Amino acid sequence: MTAETKAAVELEEIRRILLGPVEEANAARDERILNFIKSETTASAERLERMEARINELAAMVENARRTTLTDLGKAIEDLAAQPKRPIVETRSANPNTGDLHGNVQALAATRNTR
């Protein structure tokens, strides 16, 4: 072995002694980080699936409520159509003072202007 080769081997041995524990710690840390990311990704996917299922349930409930409301409105319109039509009563004959309302407002305005 030449001196250069022997020096390179010794240098590699020193590097392994000094940096070996750091590299092992880094590899273990990287493994823990990857495991954490995998578990969080799995948990997030499960939460998203539960949320999607709940949204689908709510959409079905809204659709059922909409159909029920439309059915009820249809029945109400049908009931109204079945009732006999009543003649429209003129509002002045129902309340005889209604015609005087305009005159009363004008009289009130006139008294305020004279003060």
Side-chain angles (χ1 to χ4, degrees):
M1 227 192 254
T2 66
E4 287 181 14
T5 308
K6 187 176 180 183
V9 170
E10 288 176 358
L11 186 60
E12 181 62 28
E13 186 68 26
I14 292 171
R15 188 191 72 73
R16 226 176 317 133
I17 291 171
L18 293 175
L19 299 178
V22 173
E23 289 174 349
E24 290 173 9
N26 286 346
R29 185 196 67 218
D30 292 347
E31 186 68 28
R32 286 192 313 271
I33 290 172
L34 285 174
N35 289 337
F36 175 76
I37 290 171
K38 286 178 185 177
S39 68
E40 287 300 311
T41 302
T42 303
S44 295
E46 290 172 356
R47 282 193 297 268
L48 285 173
E49 287 175 7
R50 287 193 306 268
M51 286 172 48
E52 185 177 8
R54 182 64 179 143
I55 287 171
N56 289 337
E57 289 174 11
L58 292 173
M61 287 173 50
V62 167
E63 183 64 24
N64 288 338
R66 185 180 70 82
R67 286 183 183 163
T68 302
T69 301
L70 287 175
T71 302
D72 292 346
L73 284 172
K75 287 179 183 176
I77 291 171
E78 185 179 331
D79 291 346
L80 284 174
Q83 291 180 359
K85 295 182 180 175
R86 298 181 209 157
I88 298 176
V89 178
E90 191 173 320
T91 54
R92 286 189 183 190
S93 63
N95 187 357
N97 293 330
T98 308
D100 298 330
L101 180 62
H102 184 65
N104 289 343
V105 170
Q106 286 181 340
L108 182 61
T111 58
R112 287 191 177 177
N113 289 337
T114 58
R115 289 184 191 175

